[in-house]
């Protein structure tokens, strides 16, 4: 209790800048946390943040925006976009932002999220010449450095484990330069070195372990989009391809539809989920045709039956880590040729599309011979195709995608969103995906981390009983027809969430959430029923309060309790943090501080939380055991100082983050080759950003 009292006193005396560090909306943060807790891959996708940064500099004109521009912004659902366009067509231009409250299915939280990115003024002509695009855009340079201060055993050479010894330094390095002309032309280059990887020596003689380049054009005559270098492809509802932030179960219960442009530039440092080559989208009246081709090297493990020097590979490795002799032996050892196309017909409030993707690998992929892998893909080539469509009728938006691979294993996702009343929205989604269906780079709305071996029915509801109160809930019932990792039999599952968001005024938001999930897992090793799955129950109760005292000071507090129950394990856990925010308008510095306490009885009760980070970066760590976490984010805007000293008009900012996680009473932290001797782990990260 003395520690908690000291914590509160310390936090109330230290302020931070939430506007500078929180780069995602509340719904996006909730979605990212839910995906991390569900075990879905971290795509390290910061394209959303980059896009919002461009929109802040060049707000979207609501009185001139097209349906495509509104969808690309990623701020509204299809139902909200159709309602707005109909409102604008019937009543003319929007005169005041207060008028937006009259648009059907638009509520106050939606409008508040929009305000930083929109304008009612008429923008200059939207399509600029190529010459103007090349010279009049925004430029951004970012350099980041970080490292864990304590040395883990992976950096200590050992004669009995030299293959796993990290070959490089614990420094993490990153740089990026991007040029963007109002999202009509953009290009950039980045380099990334993970901790433990070599730098200008050994396997990385060219410096960074990962380099990326992209060149992207939009709205150039009939060319709607042209991508060269690294890019992402999004099709339908993600059964074939989805390489950006995807919809999933979260507190944003109506967010069930995948929505993004087919081609998008790839700007992140993740080393797996993107294509490298060329793609183009042509606009031919109501028809839209996209084609792409990609050739790149991936990493794969050793196949279960492969011999040294054989052509067989194991499963694809997606971490991007190349730190040890073992990891470097698998680096870029498998070539991938990917090609695909989509043809879309758009007319009024409906669209239909046909999609095709083909992947060919230089090695035959051979996953481990486990029972749950009985229907996994094996071989060199895979083709999958689908058709998708959507339409809006009055206050109902319906969408679906039907897919199959070259063995005709089927997959289906279908859903509907409806605004039944200004105070009531509902959403429904059904998916049925064969146990043998396979497609690389897919990310649909599913319980599993990849769309395969699943049937389910999701229902969401959003109720606005009065201004300031949002009540949301969902129920999801699903079934896995075949075995899964750690589940040695077909199994059902169910997932529930209830949430209340109360905003009594513009400065205060109170959120209360309860989540409950039932699913089956194998008993732990050593149990008499080790190979028999048993029912597990996991529940979480969360209270979160956000308060803006004024334009300079804000607070965020979260307390979360978790319970885990199975035949072999019973445990509880809780996590609480207090984050304070201060952004003095007359000062050039900003700061962000969080103090956090967590305690769980085991790993199964681990808790996830989004953590503000350096610009264009984020993390969602999980916590278990007993300990404390505290960090400080600082920003110094050097623009005015540079203008006085050197008469240069540049937006220059320096960022610093220092964090420490302490585990009182423990002799070591971490696992495997990341074990650190001692009861704490400290990190330091710095960044420099230049904008012009």
């Amino acid at each position: 209790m003395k520690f908690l009292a000291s914590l509160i006193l310390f936090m109330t005396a230290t302020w931070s800048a939430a506007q500078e560090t929180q780069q995602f909306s509340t719904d996006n943060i909730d979605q990212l946390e839910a995906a991390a807790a569900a075990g879905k891959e971290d795509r390290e996708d910061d394209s959303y943040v980059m896009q919002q940064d461009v929109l802040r500099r060049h707000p979207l004109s609501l009185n001139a925006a097209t349906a495509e521009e509104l969808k690309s912004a990623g701020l509204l659902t299809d139902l909200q976009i159709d309602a707005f366009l109909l409102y604008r067509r019937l009543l003319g231009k929007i005169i005041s932002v207060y008028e937006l409250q009259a648009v059907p299915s638009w509520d106050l939280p939606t409008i508040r999220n929009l305000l930083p990115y929109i304008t009612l003024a008429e923008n200059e002509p939207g399509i600029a010449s190529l010459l103007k695009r090349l010279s009049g855009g925004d430029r951004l340079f970012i350099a980041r450095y970080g490292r864990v201060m304590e040395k883990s055993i992976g950096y200590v050479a050992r004669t009995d484990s030299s293959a796993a010894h990290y070959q490089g330094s614990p420094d993490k390095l990153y740089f990026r330069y991007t040029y963007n002309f109002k999202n009509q032309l953009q290009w950039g280059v980045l380099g990334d070195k993970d901790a433990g990887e070599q730098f200008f020596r050994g396997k990385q003689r060219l410096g960074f372990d990962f380099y990326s380049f992209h060149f992207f054009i939009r709205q150039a005559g009939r060319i709607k989009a042209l991508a060269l270098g690294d890019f992402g492809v999004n099709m339908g509802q993600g059964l074939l391809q989805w390489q950006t932030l995807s919809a999933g179960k979260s507190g944003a219960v109506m967010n069930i539809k995948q929505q993004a442009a087919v081609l998008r530039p790839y700007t992140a440092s993740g080393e797996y989920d993107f294509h490298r080559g060329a793609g183009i989208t042509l606009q031919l009246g109501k028809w839209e045709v996209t084609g792409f081709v990609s050739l790149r090297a991936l990493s794969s493990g050793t196949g279960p039956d492969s011999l040294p020097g054989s052509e067989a590979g194991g499963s694809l490795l997606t971490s991007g880590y190349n730190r040890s002799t073992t990891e470097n032996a698998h680096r870029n050892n498998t070539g991938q040729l990917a090609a695909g196309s989509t043809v879309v017909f758009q007319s009024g409030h409906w669209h239909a599309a046909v999609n095709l993707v083909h992947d060919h690998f230089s090695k035959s992929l051979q996953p481990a011979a486990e029972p749950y892998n009985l229907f996994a893909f094996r071989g060199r080539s895979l083709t999958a195709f689908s058709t998708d469509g959507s339409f809006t009728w009055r206050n109902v938006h319906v969408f679906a995608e039907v897919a199959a691979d070259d063995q005709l294993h089927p997959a289906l996702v279908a859903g509907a969103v409806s605004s039944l009343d200004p105070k009531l929205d509902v959403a429904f989604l059904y998916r049925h995906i064969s146990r043998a269906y396979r497609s690389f780079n897919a990310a649909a709305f599913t319980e599993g981390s990849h769309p395969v071996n699943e049937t389910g029915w999701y229902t969401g509801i959003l109720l606005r009983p009065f201004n300031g109160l949002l009540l949301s809930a969902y129920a999801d019932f699903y079934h896995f027809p075949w075995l899964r990792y750690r589940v040695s039999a077909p199994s059902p599952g169910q997932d529930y969430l209830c949430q209340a968001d109360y905003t009594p005024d513009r400065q205060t938001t109170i959120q209360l959430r309860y989540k409950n999930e039932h699913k089956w897992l194998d008993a732990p090793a050593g149990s008499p029923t080790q190979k028999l799955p048993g029912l597990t129950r996991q529940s979480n109760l969360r209270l979160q309060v956000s308060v803006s005292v004024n334009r300079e000071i804000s607070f965020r507090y979260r307390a979360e309790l978790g319970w885990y129950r199975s035949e072999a394990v019973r445990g509880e856990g809780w996590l609480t943090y207090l984050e304070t925010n201060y952004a003095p308008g007359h000062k050039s510095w900003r700061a962000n501080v969080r103090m956090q306490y967590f305690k769980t009885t085991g790993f199964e009760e681990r808790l996830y939380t989004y953590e503000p980070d350096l610009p264009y970066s984020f993390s969602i760590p999980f916590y278990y055991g007993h300990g404390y976490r505290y960090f400080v984010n600082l920003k110094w805007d050097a623009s005015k100082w540079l203008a006085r000293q050197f008469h240069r008009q540049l937006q220059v900012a320096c960022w610093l983050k220092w964090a420490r996680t302490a585990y009182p009473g423990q002799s070591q932290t971490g696992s495997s080759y990341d074990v650190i001797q001692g009861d704490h782990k400290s990190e330091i990260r710095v960044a420099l950003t230049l904008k012009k």
Side-chain angles (χ1 to χ4, degrees):
M1 292 301 295
K2 289 183 179 180
F3 174 82
L4 291 177
S6 301
L7 167 63
I8 294 173
L9 289 174
F10 175 79
M11 293 301 294
T12 53
T14 312
W15 318 119
S16 64
Q19 295 298 324
E20 297 290 344
T21 55
Q22 183 168 307
Q23 304 170 83
F24 291 89
S25 68
T26 301
D27 285 350
N28 287 126
I29 291 174
D30 192 40
Q31 188 175 327
L32 290 167
E33 288 181 337
K40 298 190 176 182
E41 286 186 17
D42 178 7
R43 294 173 178 264
E44 299 188 51
D45 186 359
D46 66 354
S47 59
Y48 177 86
V49 181
M50 296 287 290
Q51 181 172 279
Q52 304 315 306
D53 190 41
V54 173
L55 284 175
R56 286 190 186 96
R57 290 167 167 254
H58 308 285
L60 190 64
S61 173
L62 282 185
N63 285 320
T66 64
E68 185 66 29
E69 289 173 330
L70 291 170
K71 289 179 181 179
S72 297
L75 300 169
L76 297 167
T77 66
D78 278 11
L79 186 64
Q80 291 171 327
I81 291 171
D82 288 338
F84 170 74
L85 293 176
L86 178 61
Y87 180 91
R88 192 178 68 182
R89 186 163 59 248
L90 293 176
L91 300 178
K93 294 181 179 180
I94 308 297
I95 299 174
S96 168
V97 292
Y98 296 104
E99 188 180 349
L100 297 176
Q101 299 177 72
V103 178
S105 75
W106 283 37
D107 52 25
L108 285 177
T110 297
I111 296 170
R112 286 171 182 155
N113 287 337
L114 276 176
L115 289 180
Y117 313 110
I118 62 170
T119 179
L120 301 181
E122 295 289 344
N123 291 342
E124 59 183 271
I127 309 301
S129 66
L130 180 60
L131 184 61
K132 185 174 182 180
R133 296 186 192 193
L134 290 170
S135 59
D138 301 323
R139 296 169 176 83
L140 169 66
F141 175 79
I142 307 170
R144 291 200 298 254
Y145 167 84
R147 70 175 291 164
V148 174
M149 305 304 293
E150 298 80 13
K151 181 178 290 187
S152 69
I153 63 174
Y155 297 99
V156 180
R158 294 171 55 185
T159 57
D160 61 339
S161 58
S162 59
H165 169 66
Y166 295 161
Q167 303 294 303
S169 72
D171 303 311
K172 181 173 175 58
L173 304 173
Y174 170 94
F175 84 91
R176 175 166 63 185
Y177 175 84
T178 57
Y179 172 90
N180 192 316
F181 182 87
K182 300 180 181 179
N183 276 336
Q184 294 178 22
L185 183 147
Q186 60 188 97
W187 66 271
V189 60
L190 71 81
D192 180 72
K193 171 199 174 298
D194 292 311
E197 294 175 342
Q198 294 172 307
F199 191 60
F200 283 111
R201 64 186 181 89
K203 294 292 185 179
Q204 285 81 31
R205 294 188 180 278
L206 297 179
F208 292 92
D209 174 72
F210 175 69
Y211 287 97
S212 177
F213 170 80
H214 71 273
F215 182 85
F216 203 88
I217 295 178
R218 294 183 179 91
Q219 299 175 316
R222 292 186 180 275
I223 299 177
K224 184 177 180 180
L226 172 65
L228 300 175
D230 295 345
F231 59 93
V233 178
N234 306 302
M235 295 179 175
Q237 290 305 300
L239 291 175
L240 292 190
Q241 285 273 317
W242 199 266
Q243 294 178 305
T244 187
L245 292 177
S246 59
K249 290 185 290 185
S250 69
V253 299
M254 306 303 292
N255 186 16
I256 64 172
K257 184 185 179 185
Q258 307 282 42
Q259 185 171 297
V262 177
L263 294 179
R264 298 192 70 172
Y266 186 73
T267 61
S269 60
E271 300 179 30
Y272 173 72
D273 201 14
F274 65 92
H275 288 303
R276 176 165 288 176
I280 188 171
T281 298
L282 299 176
Q283 186 78 52
L284 306 170
K286 294 183 179 180
W287 292 88
E288 182 181 299
V289 181
T290 299
F292 74 91
V293 62
S294 167
L295 181 61
R296 58 171 304 207
L298 300 175
S299 300
S300 67
T302 303
D305 303 316
S306 60
L307 298 173
S310 72
E311 294 279 327
S315 298
L316 293 177
L317 305 176
T318 63
S319 69
Y321 290 134
N322 299 295
R323 304 163 296 184
S324 65
T325 303
T326 302
E327 290 173 344
N328 276 305
H330 298 149
R331 180 175 184 257
N332 295 340
N333 61 356
T334 304
Q336 180 198 35
L337 172 65
S341 65
T342 178
V343 179
V344 180
F345 180 78
Q346 179 81 40
S347 179
H349 298 297
W350 67 277
H351 97 277
V354 178
N355 314 296
L356 175 69
V357 174
H358 176 77
D359 293 280
H360 180 80
F361 299 92
S362 62
K363 291 185 176 182
S364 177
L365 300 183
Q366 300 293 329
E370 296 288 346
Y372 61 82
N373 277 334
L374 180 63
F375 298 98
F377 170 76
R378 287 174 169 80
R380 290 193 175 194
S381 295
L382 175 67
T383 301
F385 54 90
S386 77
T387 179
D388 73 273
S390 69
F391 70 88
T392 302
W393 181 72
R394 295 186 178 179
N395 61 338
V396 179
H397 183 75
V398 179
F399 58 91
E401 182 178 18
V402 181
D405 58 24
D406 48 16
Q407 300 299 313
L408 299 183
H409 301 126
L412 165 69
V413 170
V417 180
S418 177
S419 182
L420 301 179
D421 182 90
K423 295 186 176 182
L424 178 63
D425 296 343
V426 295
F428 305 97
L429 186 136
Y430 173 77
R431 69 266 190 195
H432 175 77
I433 306 170
S434 166
R435 61 188 179 180
Y437 175 76
R438 282 296 181 268
S439 182
F440 294 99
N441 303 117
F445 187 104
T446 56
E447 167 65 20
S449 59
H450 197 79
V452 64
N453 184 37
E454 181 173 332
T455 298
W457 178 265
Y458 171 96
T459 302
I461 183 170
L462 180 65
L463 180 64
R464 310 173 186 87
F466 54 82
N467 287 339
L469 180 62
L470 289 177
L471 301 176
S472 51
Y474 74 69
D476 188 36
F477 300 89
Y478 47 88
H479 179 261
F480 303 112
W482 185 244
L483 285 60
R484 304 171 68 232
Y485 177 66
R486 294 184 64 196
V487 188
S488 300
S491 61
Q494 49 194 285
D495 190 358
Y496 307 94
L497 180 143
C498 298
Q499 180 173 303
D501 292 271
Y502 179 51
T503 309
D505 51 58
R506 297 185 63 180
Q507 289 74 40
T508 308
T509 300
I510 303 172
Q511 181 185 96
L512 182 64
R513 170 192 295 179
Y514 176 73
K515 185 177 185 296
N516 183 275
E517 184 172 16
H518 294 186
K519 61 172 55 176
W520 293 74
L521 286 176
D522 289 346
S527 170
T529 58
Q530 179 178 345
K531 285 299 182 180
L532 296 177
L535 180 63
T536 66
R537 300 177 177 86
Q538 187 162 2
S539 303
N540 292 80
L541 179 64
R542 176 188 297 178
L543 171 67
Q544 182 168 292
V545 181
S546 300
V547 179
S548 296
V549 179
N550 51 40
R551 290 181 177 271
E552 299 181 348
I553 303 170
S554 64
F555 300 88
R556 171 168 294 183
Y557 171 77
R558 175 185 290 188
E560 183 162 359
L561 307 176
W563 299 268
Y564 184 87
R565 297 288 185 270
S566 71
E567 294 180 2
V569 178
R570 299 178 65 87
E572 298 83 24
W574 69 288
L575 177 150
T576 183
Y577 71 72
L578 181 61
E579 188 175 331
T580 58
N581 310 291
Y582 184 48
H586 60 288
K587 301 289 186 179
S588 59
W589 57 272
R590 304 286 188 270
N592 168 257
V593 180
R594 178 186 290 181
M595 296 286 287
Q596 178 174 297
Y597 175 78
F598 57 93
K599 184 176 183 179
T600 73
T601 53
F603 179 76
E604 298 292 353
E605 300 82 57
R606 63 193 180 277
L607 298 168
Y608 293 77
T609 179
Y610 172 89
E611 189 168 293
D613 214 315
L614 300 179
Y616 308 100
S617 177
F618 66 93
S619 60
I620 307 175
F622 60 83
Y623 300 94
Y624 68 96
H626 173 220
Y628 308 96
R629 169 77 170 176
Y630 39 95
F631 65 78
V632 179
N633 278 316
L634 298 174
K635 176 195 174 184
W636 175 51
D637 189 338
S639 304
K640 294 181 180 179
W641 180 82
L642 285 174
R644 289 194 304 267
Q645 298 294 324
F646 303 102
H647 307 289
R648 297 295 302 274
Q649 297 299 320
L650 287 175
Q651 296 184 47
V652 181
C654 302
W655 306 72
L656 168 67
K657 179 176 181 178
W658 179 82
R660 170 171 285 193
T661 307
Y663 301 88
Q666 291 190 195
S667 59
Q668 62 182 32
T669 65
S671 60
S672 186
Y673 285 90
D674 291 322
V675 166
I676 295 172
Q677 299 301 323
D679 65 353
H680 62 269
K681 175 182 177 181
S682 305
E683 307 160 72
I684 186 167
R685 304 188 68 192
V686 295
L688 173 71
T689 61
L690 292 85
K691 295 182 181 180
K692 185 177 181 181

